[in-house]
Amino acid sequence: MSIKDKNILLGVSGSIAAYKAALLVRLFVKAGANVQVIMSEDATQFITPLTLSTLSKNPVYTKFIKNNAGEWVNHVELGLWADLMIIAPATGKTLSSLAHGYSDNLLVATYLSARCPVYIAPAMDLDMYLHPSQKRNLEILSSYGNHIIEPESGELASGLDGKGRLAEPENILEAVANFFKTASSWSDKKVLITAGPTHEAIDPVRFIGNHSSGKMGYALAEEALSRGATVHLVSGPTSLSIAHPNLKITKVQAAQEMYNAASEHFDDYDCMIYAAAVADYRPSTVATEKIKKKGADMQIAMTPNVDIALSLGKIKKPHQYAVGFALETENEALNAQSKLERKNFDCIVLNSLRTEGAGFQHDTNQVTLYFKSNKKLELELKSKREIAKDIFDAIEQSIHS
Ligand code: PMT
């Protein structure tokens, strides 16, 4: 799928970088896209609607307007028209309004109404961009599934030098064009992903668990969905949420339930990714009432849990591609490679608790991928969403090599 004939809705807010919107519109039109533009009132101080209307060959909207029936709905109509919305440049004020749903202008109201993927390209001065409030707003916007096109570094309008410049129009076009290219690349694939921790009950109020937040597994699910795959996410207890028409999510507590959900219809999956941190043992018995404190010591007898990846690895067919994870604290590479073999993975993703910013809870991860073919790929520390993208790129390459 390409950008040609796609409906692109460009939102322009009031930054000096608004002049780059003209170049962006031209690039989209040259690539064959249909372009409509919404400007905030402030943006019209930097570049005229006439310029963008001439380049896009469409009227430019700055205000809510009524349709022929006298209804006040142009934000809804524009939102439904778009195959993709891009907000470039997005000022600090616009980021805040988008993150908190403060729809006092047409641009933000349309963003809230849009059902399509949304790209956001911030632009602001150095210290403003570094302020924790902006970081938080971008995190919120990412967590809603928006795609952020990071600003670039260089000379800023203030004369300061650093990060904050709107990404170059060519780079924005590339990100959007890549979106359409990858959006359908997995459309005939079914993917199973396990995510999060398991909670193994001790009694009605206590359990044995671990620190997994589910962030890595959910990022993988988002990436698979963005490539057009049908995804079954089997998730242990987490505070995360995700929704998509191509997503089935099964919420579980304990390893046995995770196994039951993952093994059902196992033959249907093309790719399995085991990102969950599954408890290897569970209490042998679960007390029916809350266990009361008695004496100094207490022992809990434990029974081995089913190893989901190992069991499913035994019935994996040659056309199915399995990716395991290994969280290690010592002999990392050796342990990961032995799991790769033992559990019949095609690839294993090693993350180490010894690396700052990697593993449990963090929004970032640093991983090394080991393949059955003996290939190794070391990735730098980056967001879990970007790691998920790199893992899918690596799976694609490995399948096609
Ligand atoms: O959730 P986050 O906070 O984002 O953290 C991500 C993560 C650190 C949990 C994730 O990146 C990760 O490393 N998950 C696997 C952690 C782990 O417990 O690995 P393991 O070495 O115990 O298991 C190896 C593989 O077998 C894993 O793919 C695991 O899902 C699978 N396994 C393990 C035991 C079991 N009973 N069943 C399994 O399927």
Side-chain angles (χ1 to χ4, degrees), residues 92 95 124 128-129 131-139:
L95 289 185
M124 63 197 87
M128 205 175 157
Y129 180 67
H131 195 276
S133 62
Q134 300 303 339
K135 187 169 179 275
R136 184 78 199 110
N137 284 336
L138 286 170
E139 280 167 5

Side-chain angles (χ1 to χ4, degrees), residues 259 266 306-316 343:
Y259 171 77
F266 179 73
V306 56
D307 190 316
I308 303 163
L310 180 82
S311 309
L312 297 178
K314 289 185 181 151
I315 56 165
K316 176 169 103 66
K343 302 199 183 192

Side-chain angles (χ1 to χ4, degrees), residues 194-197 210-218 220 238 240 255 258 273-281 305-311 323-328 335 339 342-343 345 348-351 353 358-362 364-365 367 384:
T194 67
N210 60 66
H211 297 294
S212 170
S213 62
K215 287 178 186 170
M216 192 65 247
Y218 277 61
L220 286 157
T238 78
L240 304 176
M258 190 173 268
I273 306 184
Y274 304 102
V278 186
D280 288 324
Y281 294 88
N305 262 334
V306 56
D307 190 316
I308 303 163
L310 180 82
S311 309
V323 180
F325 268 76
L327 180 68
E328 303 293 338
N335 287 335
K339 284 174 190 169
R342 194 157 48 84
K343 302 199 183 192
F345 294 139
I348 192 156
V349 182
L350 165 67
N351 37 197
L353 274 191
F360 289 138
Q361 301 278 336
H362 298 288
T364 50
N365 208 353
V367 302
K384 283 185 174 163

Side-chain angles (χ1 to χ4, degrees), residues 89-163:
T91 59
K93 181 180 163 211
T94 299
L95 289 185
S96 182
S97 300
L98 297 172
H100 302 287
Y102 188 55
S103 58
D104 65 339
N105 67 17
L106 178 64
L107 197 164
V108 181
T110 307
Y111 157 77
L112 293 174
S113 310
R115 293 184 184 166
C116 60
V118 179
Y119 275 70
I120 298 171
M124 63 197 87
D125 220 89
L126 179 68
D127 296 300
M128 205 175 157
Y129 180 67
L130 292 176
H131 195 276
S133 62
Q134 300 303 339
K135 187 169 179 275
R136 184 78 199 110
N137 284 336
L138 286 170
E139 280 167 5
I140 293 172
L141 289 165
S142 284
S143 75
Y144 296 157
N146 299 299
H147 305 257
I148 310 297
I149 302 179
E150 295 232 345
E152 294 174 8
S153 291
E155 193 187 343
L156 299 162
S158 62
L160 293 174
D161 205 62
K163 199 167 178 180

